[in-house]
Amino acid sequence: MIPVQGLAGAVVAVLGLGRSGLSAARALAAGGATPLCWDDNPAARARAEAEGLACRPLSRIEDFDEIARLVVSPGIPHLYPAPNTVVAAALEAGVPVDNDIGLFFQSFATGDWAAFDTPPRVIAVTGSNGKSTTSALIHHVLTSAGRPSQLAGNIGRGVLDIEPPQDGEVVVLELSSYQTELARSLTPDVAVFTNLSPDHLDRHAGMGGYFAAKRRLFAEGGPDRAVIGVDEAEGRFLAGQMAEGRGDDRVIRVSVTRKLTGPGWQVFARKGFLSEYRKGRQVGSIDLRGIEGLPGAHNHQNACAAYAACRGLGLAPKGIEAAFHSFAGLPHRSQTVGEARGVRFVNDSKATNVDSAAKALAAFRNIRWICGGLEKDGGLAGLGDLSASVRKAYVIGREAAGFALQLEVEAEVCGTMAVAVARAVEDAEPGDVVLLAPAAASFDQYDNFEQRGDDFVAEVARHL
């Protein structure tokens, strides 16, 4: 645990008692603060009270008379589309609002570091797609290189649940826009921006607010090194803001759409080959085509970002390449879950938006595509022409019929995962790929994308 510093003796309100909220309450108590908790869910309050944490409603301005700070869990809106009533009361009372990420950066460094040869570092990864795989891949490379490392944030453990860092340790954090937009302190040593595509637009009041939430990771603390995907206009703008000039190697630009040139530091992938250039000269390369855990151009982008972050810490290209080959990938992200009679079954349940689904579809051919769910803002226009890769779509979800009408390929309304997998198996021929890449949220039928992916895996197992 990372005990929270700077709030000893203060009463701190904690709103939301899921993983991050409970973790924050424990860390506040460990640091000498008095957490005062609330969650609308009685079961969540019962879990907190069983740990000795006090719970009390916090909906009026006068409830905050003795409270020094409000710590909010990521899923709770604080501005758009409308502030939660507790957040609104805190802001009206003039109480600062923070989250567990802000508390982490406030509390990470301690006096013990004076005895370390190498101070611990933090790599923080954000972006619309690929941040989980990029974070896990960086962690895997560091571990393979013998560097002590912990993985936390939006993946793995809560940030305040990690162990106090060792001499020379690297903490890798995956951070969502919900986490970066509210944290009062954001000071990573290396910040990574993978890409940007429309997502969570209601929460951020549009693309401008969404990008602004991501940009805070770079603007608030000024990382020593910034790894930035520049295949979108926002990434190019961000790289331009962070760099002092064309040759400023504190910024590493990353692309999977073109060769990057110039006097700076670039990492890009073309036709399955990763290249690293510095000062106009190639200094490293990796053939990504045979790496089973990183299939497709979207994973090549993840590989470039992870490579750049690790190179920024001084790791050698050959060591990074060796670690890439032993990376197994993450569940629910281009995960091969079975193969029979020449048919491959791939679970990419994490493809919860159009852009991530399009990237998953681009990684394979002869696809029997299982898709559908709770459609996000913007519709399905960003999928592009699927006729070259998709043989047929099998649509699930409560609104499967409406979803199917938007597809420009043959589509069958299946409704449930069981029916979709059964029909895809029945139709599949040797050389086909049965791919779950929903292009939609899961909440119409499942609690989360992991549960949806597990259902796919279970149905595939039944048929295999």
Side-chain angles (χ1 to χ4, degrees):
M1 179 188 295
I2 304 293
V4 172
Q5 299 184 50
L7 290 168
V11 178
V12 178
V14 178
L15 178 62
L17 296 171
R19 185 188 69 168
S20 67
L22 276 176
S23 172
R26 297 182 192 115
L28 284 161
T34 300
L36 183 59
C37 306
W38 184 253
D39 193 299
D40 290 339
N41 185 339
R45 297 199 301 271
R47 286 193 296 270
E49 289 170 339
E51 295 190 25
L53 297 168
C55 293
R56 191 182 78 192
L58 299 163
S59 57
R60 304 171 304 165
I61 296 175
E62 51 266 34
D63 293 333
F64 287 89
D65 287 346
E66 305 300 325
I67 291 174
R69 192 177 300 187
L70 172 64
V71 176
V72 180
S73 292
I76 298 172
H78 59 271
L79 186 57
Y80 302 115
N84 177 278
T85 56
V86 175
V87 177
L91 293 173
E92 187 68 25
V95 172
V97 180
D98 204 350
N99 62 14
D100 63 327
I101 305 302
L103 296 180
F104 167 83
F105 280 109
Q106 172 182 320
S107 309
F108 184 55
T110 69
D112 295 340
W113 291 18
F116 291 170
D117 292 329
T118 304
R121 294 185 177 183
V122 176
I123 300 176
V125 181
T126 195
S128 296
N129 301 305
K131 55 186 178 292
S132 294
T133 297
T134 300
S135 301
L137 184 55
I138 293 169
H139 174 64
H140 176 75
V141 171
L142 291 166
T143 303
S144 299
R147 295 283 295 270
S149 176
Q150 298 184 72
L151 179 64
N154 209 40
I155 184 174
R157 307 166 72 181
V159 291
L160 294 167
D161 279 337
I162 69 170
E163 300 301 320
Q166 307 173 33
D167 190 341
E169 187 162 13
V170 181
V171 175
V172 184
L173 302 181
E174 179 200 339
L175 300 181
S176 71
S177 58
Y178 289 8
Q179 294 169 310
T180 58
E181 71 172 341
L182 189 57
R184 294 175 62 84
S185 178
L186 283 168
T187 53
D189 298 279
V190 180
V192 181
F193 176 87
T194 58
N195 51 56
L196 195 78
S197 62
D199 207 0
H200 310 304
L201 299 189
D202 58 338
R203 172 67 178 262
H204 300 294
M207 279 294 287
Y210 181 44
F211 175 54
K214 301 288 189 185
R215 181 182 172 277
R216 288 190 78 247
L217 181 63
F218 299 80
E220 291 299 309
D224 294 336
R225 179 148 281 127
V227 175
I228 301 175
V230 295
D231 288 335
E232 293 88 31
E234 292 87 354
R236 293 189 290 275
F237 175 80
L238 181 58
Q241 285 203 311
M242 297 301 296
E244 293 296 330
R246 295 183 67 213
D248 186 351
D249 66 1
R250 294 174 303 169
V251 176
I252 308 177
R253 291 169 170 83
V254 168
S255 175
V256 289
T257 62
R258 66 193 187 282
K259 178 179 179 179
L260 298 177
T261 59
W265 196 347
Q266 296 100 11
V267 177
F268 59 88
R270 296 181 69 200
K271 298 180 180 180
F273 287 87
L274 179 153
S275 297
E276 176 191 4
Y277 275 72
R278 295 190 73 174
K279 299 179 180 178
R281 298 181 60 184
Q282 185 171 1
V283 295
S285 65
I286 298 176
D287 184 352
L288 300 172
R289 296 172 299 173
I291 300 178
E292 189 171 315
L294 297 167
H298 62 304
N299 274 310
H300 293 174
Q301 184 180 57
N302 300 333
C304 287
Y307 177 95
C310 292
R311 288 288 287 141
L313 291 182
L315 275 67
K318 289 299 182 184
I320 298 172
E321 180 177 8
F324 279 7
H325 280 279
S326 61
F327 181 65
L330 291 177
H332 313 296
R333 297 160 178 87
S334 295
Q335 175 195 19
T336 297
V337 297
E339 192 164 348
R341 299 178 294 279
V343 179
R344 183 178 176 184
F345 296 84
V346 178
N347 168 24
D348 204 326
S349 184
K350 185 61 170 68
T352 58
N353 59 41
V354 167
D355 186 66
S356 56
K359 289 175 178 176
L361 290 165
F364 305 99
R365 291 290 179 266
N366 302 320
I367 298 170
R368 304 284 175 178
W369 179 31
I370 298 176
C371 58
L374 190 62
E375 191 176 327
K376 294 191 174 181
D377 290 346
L380 305 179
L383 285 170
D385 183 8
L386 305 176
S387 58
S389 58
V390 176
R391 301 190 66 179
K392 184 177 176 180
Y394 305 81
V395 188
I396 63 173
R398 287 204 304 252
E399 300 175 355
F403 197 99
L405 286 173
Q406 300 180 64
L407 300 177
E408 297 181 0
V409 295
E410 180 185 356
E412 179 177 339
V413 175
C414 297
T416 67
M417 186 70 73
V419 173
V421 172
R423 292 292 299 121
V425 168
E426 184 178 330
D427 292 344
E429 301 172 356
D432 286 355
V433 175
V434 176
L435 171 67
L436 171 66
S442 59
F443 305 124
D444 58 333
Q445 292 182 309
Y446 303 95
D447 291 339
N448 48 55
F449 74 83
E450 293 96 340
Q451 190 181 86
R452 176 172 58 189
D454 290 341
D455 192 17
F456 172 75
V457 172
E459 291 299 328
V460 169
R462 287 181 57 210
H463 291 278
L464 295 187

